[in-house]
Amino acid sequence: MAARDILAAWFARNSGRWADQVLNTLKTNGYSVVRLPNPDTSSGQPIWKTPAAAVTVQDGRVHIEVDDPMGATDAQGFAAALLAAAYALGGKQ
């Protein structure tokens, strides 16, 4: 079932505190909503920094520096930074 179908079915049945319910419905069905971080551009190029990783875009490619291993919170931050860099290159949102 696509995310669109899940949301359409939910909106057909529910009202009220919909934002939390929408997010929970998506999570239950294997989707995640991620707030993409803004890059630090003070060096002249975009860099997405997390406590455990740095993601840059150079020559049309995404470059990563990662501390290994990392905990769940750091991994989530790294994943968001990686998505943000991919979207900056013109990836599909």
Side-chain angles (χ1 to χ4, degrees), residues 3 9 14 18-19 24 26-28 37-38 42-43 46-47 51 56 58 61 68 70-71 74 79-80 82-83 90 92:
N14 296 288
W18 60 272
N24 287 334
L26 289 170
K27 185 176 180 181
T28 298
N38 293 318
S42 62
S43 67
I47 182 168
T56 59
Q58 299 171 8
R61 299 188 65 119
D68 184 30
M70 66 179 79
D74 289 338
L82 189 58
L83 281 171
K92 189 175 182 180

Short mmCIF file of all heavy atoms in Angstrom, two decimals, residues 3 9 14 18-19 24 26-28 37-38 42-43 46-47 51 56 58 61 68 70-71 74 79-80 82-83 90 92:
data_model
loop_
_atom_site.label_atom_id
_atom_site.label_comp_id
_atom_site.label_asym_id
_atom_site.label_seq_id
_atom_site.Cartn_x
_atom_site.Cartn_y
_atom_site.Cartn_z
N ALA A 3 2.01 5.25 0.45
CA ALA A 3 1.77 6.25 1.50
C ALA A 3 0.53 7.07 1.18
O ALA A 3 -0.27 7.38 2.08
CB ALA A 3 2.99 7.15 1.66
N ALA A 9 -7.01 6.76 3.09
CA ALA A 9 -7.89 5.92 3.91
C ALA A 9 -8.04 6.50 5.31
O ALA A 9 -9.14 6.52 5.87
CB ALA A 9 -7.34 4.49 3.97
N ASN A 14 -10.97 9.60 9.83
CA ASN A 14 -10.58 10.31 11.06
C ASN A 14 -10.68 11.82 10.95
O ASN A 14 -10.62 12.40 9.90
CB ASN A 14 -9.14 9.95 11.43
CG ASN A 14 -9.00 8.49 11.76
OD1 ASN A 14 -9.45 8.04 12.79
ND2 ASN A 14 -8.40 7.74 10.86
N TRP A 18 -5.09 15.08 14.01
CA TRP A 18 -4.68 14.32 12.84
C TRP A 18 -3.18 14.26 12.63
O TRP A 18 -2.68 13.26 12.13
CB TRP A 18 -5.37 14.83 11.59
CG TRP A 18 -5.07 16.27 11.28
CD1 TRP A 18 -5.72 17.36 11.75
CD2 TRP A 18 -4.02 16.74 10.45
NE1 TRP A 18 -5.13 18.50 11.26
CE2 TRP A 18 -4.08 18.14 10.46
CE3 TRP A 18 -3.02 16.12 9.71
CZ2 TRP A 18 -3.19 18.93 9.75
CZ3 TRP A 18 -2.14 16.91 9.01
CH2 TRP A 18 -2.23 18.30 9.03
N ALA A 19 -2.42 15.26 12.98
CA ALA A 19 -0.98 15.25 12.68
C ALA A 19 -0.26 14.08 13.35
O ALA A 19 0.47 13.33 12.70
CB ALA A 19 -0.34 16.57 13.08
N ASN A 24 1.96 8.55 13.10
CA ASN A 24 1.92 7.20 13.65
C ASN A 24 1.48 6.18 12.60
O ASN A 24 2.02 5.06 12.55
CB ASN A 24 1.01 7.13 14.88
CG ASN A 24 1.62 7.79 16.08
OD1 ASN A 24 2.84 7.87 16.20
ND2 ASN A 24 0.79 8.28 16.98
N LEU A 26 1.91 6.41 9.33
CA LEU A 26 3.03 6.23 8.41
C LEU A 26 4.10 5.33 9.04
O LEU A 26 4.60 4.41 8.40
CB LEU A 26 3.62 7.58 8.02
CG LEU A 26 2.76 8.43 7.09
CD1 LEU A 26 3.33 9.82 6.96
CD2 LEU A 26 2.63 7.76 5.72
N LYS A 27 4.45 5.61 10.31
CA LYS A 27 5.47 4.81 11.00
C LYS A 27 5.05 3.35 11.09
O LYS A 27 5.86 2.45 10.84
CB LYS A 27 5.73 5.39 12.38
CG LYS A 27 6.85 4.71 13.11
CD LYS A 27 7.12 5.38 14.45
CE LYS A 27 8.24 4.70 15.18
NZ LYS A 27 8.50 5.32 16.49
N THR A 28 3.80 3.10 11.42
CA THR A 28 3.30 1.74 11.52
C THR A 28 3.43 0.99 10.20
O THR A 28 3.65 -0.22 10.18
CB THR A 28 1.81 1.76 11.97
OG1 THR A 28 1.74 2.36 13.26
CG2 THR A 28 1.21 0.37 12.02
N PRO A 37 18.21 18.61 7.59
CA PRO A 37 18.99 19.70 8.18
C PRO A 37 19.48 20.68 7.11
O PRO A 37 19.63 20.32 5.94
CB PRO A 37 20.17 18.98 8.83
CG PRO A 37 20.34 17.73 8.01
CD PRO A 37 18.95 17.34 7.57
N ASN A 38 19.71 21.91 7.53
CA ASN A 38 20.31 22.91 6.65
C ASN A 38 21.82 22.73 6.67
O ASN A 38 22.40 22.41 7.70
CB ASN A 38 19.95 24.32 7.09
CG ASN A 38 18.48 24.61 6.92
OD1 ASN A 38 17.88 24.24 5.92
ND2 ASN A 38 17.88 25.26 7.90
N SER A 42 29.60 28.04 5.62
CA SER A 42 30.64 29.01 5.98
C SER A 42 31.97 28.75 5.29
O SER A 42 32.79 29.66 5.13
CB SER A 42 30.83 29.05 7.50
OG SER A 42 31.26 27.79 7.98
N SER A 43 32.21 27.51 4.82
CA SER A 43 33.47 27.19 4.15
C SER A 43 33.39 27.42 2.64
O SER A 43 34.36 27.20 1.93
CB SER A 43 33.84 25.73 4.42
OG SER A 43 32.90 24.87 3.79
N PRO A 46 28.54 23.53 0.72
CA PRO A 46 27.62 23.00 1.73
C PRO A 46 28.20 21.77 2.42
O PRO A 46 28.77 20.91 1.78
CB PRO A 46 26.37 22.64 0.92
CG PRO A 46 26.87 22.46 -0.48
CD PRO A 46 28.06 23.35 -0.64
N ILE A 47 28.05 21.74 3.74
CA ILE A 47 28.44 20.58 4.53
C ILE A 47 27.39 20.36 5.61
O ILE A 47 26.99 21.29 6.30
CB ILE A 47 29.86 20.71 5.14
CG1 ILE A 47 30.23 19.46 5.91
CG2 ILE A 47 29.98 21.95 5.99
CD1 ILE A 47 31.70 19.37 6.30
N PRO A 51 27.13 14.94 14.99
CA PRO A 51 28.19 14.55 15.91
C PRO A 51 29.05 13.38 15.41
O PRO A 51 30.20 13.24 15.80
CB PRO A 51 27.44 14.16 17.19
CG PRO A 51 26.18 14.95 17.13
CD PRO A 51 25.82 14.99 15.67
N THR A 56 29.28 16.06 2.44
CA THR A 56 29.52 17.19 1.54
C THR A 56 29.11 16.81 0.12
O THR A 56 28.93 15.64 -0.21
CB THR A 56 31.01 17.60 1.52
OG1 THR A 56 31.80 16.50 1.09
CG2 THR A 56 31.48 18.06 2.88
N GLN A 58 30.51 17.48 -3.69
CA GLN A 58 31.64 17.96 -4.49
C GLN A 58 31.60 17.28 -5.85
O GLN A 58 31.42 16.06 -5.92
CB GLN A 58 32.97 17.65 -3.81
CG GLN A 58 33.15 18.29 -2.46
CD GLN A 58 34.40 17.77 -1.76
OE1 GLN A 58 35.20 17.04 -2.33
NE2 GLN A 58 34.54 18.14 -0.50
N ARG A 61 28.86 14.80 -6.68
CA ARG A 61 28.78 13.55 -5.91
C ARG A 61 28.68 13.86 -4.43
O ARG A 61 29.15 14.88 -3.96
CB ARG A 61 29.99 12.67 -6.19
CG ARG A 61 30.09 12.30 -7.68
CD ARG A 61 31.15 11.31 -7.91
NE ARG A 61 30.82 10.06 -7.25
CZ ARG A 61 30.65 8.91 -7.88
NH1 ARG A 61 30.76 8.87 -9.17
NH2 ARG A 61 30.39 7.82 -7.21
N ASP A 68 32.66 5.24 13.02
CA ASP A 68 32.05 3.91 13.03
C ASP A 68 32.48 3.19 14.29
O ASP A 68 33.66 3.19 14.60
CB ASP A 68 32.51 3.14 11.78
CG ASP A 68 31.87 1.78 11.64
OD1 ASP A 68 30.73 1.63 12.10
OD2 ASP A 68 32.52 0.89 11.08
N MET A 70 28.24 3.92 15.36
CA MET A 70 27.51 5.05 15.95
C MET A 70 26.21 4.54 16.55
O MET A 70 25.70 3.50 16.13
CB MET A 70 27.26 6.15 14.91
CG MET A 70 26.34 5.79 13.77
SD MET A 70 26.05 7.13 12.59
CE MET A 70 27.54 7.09 11.62
N GLY A 71 25.70 5.30 17.50
CA GLY A 71 24.44 4.95 18.14
C GLY A 71 23.25 5.33 17.27
O GLY A 71 23.39 5.94 16.21
N ASP A 74 22.79 9.18 16.50
CA ASP A 74 23.77 9.65 15.52
C ASP A 74 23.48 9.08 14.13
O ASP A 74 23.63 9.77 13.12
CB ASP A 74 25.19 9.27 15.94
CG ASP A 74 25.67 10.07 17.14
OD1 ASP A 74 25.12 11.17 17.40
OD2 ASP A 74 26.60 9.60 17.82
N ALA A 79 21.66 9.85 8.59
CA ALA A 79 20.72 9.53 7.52
C ALA A 79 20.04 10.79 6.99
O ALA A 79 19.91 10.97 5.77
CB ALA A 79 19.69 8.52 8.00
N ALA A 80 19.64 11.69 7.87
CA ALA A 80 19.00 12.93 7.45
C ALA A 80 19.98 13.81 6.67
O ALA A 80 19.62 14.40 5.65
CB ALA A 80 18.45 13.68 8.66
N LEU A 82 22.55 12.78 4.94
CA LEU A 82 22.78 12.13 3.66
C LEU A 82 21.63 12.41 2.69
O LEU A 82 21.85 12.73 1.52
CB LEU A 82 22.96 10.63 3.87
CG LEU A 82 23.43 9.80 2.69
CD1 LEU A 82 24.77 10.31 2.16
CD2 LEU A 82 23.56 8.35 3.11
N LEU A 83 20.40 12.33 3.17
CA LEU A 83 19.24 12.67 2.33
C LEU A 83 19.28 14.12 1.89
O LEU A 83 19.00 14.43 0.72
CB LEU A 83 17.94 12.40 3.09
CG LEU A 83 17.47 10.97 3.18
CD1 LEU A 83 16.29 10.87 4.15
CD2 LEU A 83 17.08 10.45 1.82
N GLY A 90 19.92 17.38 -6.52
CA GLY A 90 18.82 17.26 -7.47
C GLY A 90 18.07 15.97 -7.37
O GLY A 90 17.33 15.61 -8.27
N LYS A 92 15.28 13.27 -6.20
CA LYS A 92 13.84 13.37 -6.15
C LYS A 92 13.37 13.39 -4.69
O LYS A 92 13.77 12.57 -3.91
CB LYS A 92 13.21 12.20 -6.88
CG LYS A 92 11.73 12.30 -7.07
CD LYS A 92 11.22 11.16 -7.91
CE LYS A 92 9.75 11.29 -8.13
NZ LYS A 92 9.24 10.19 -8.96
#
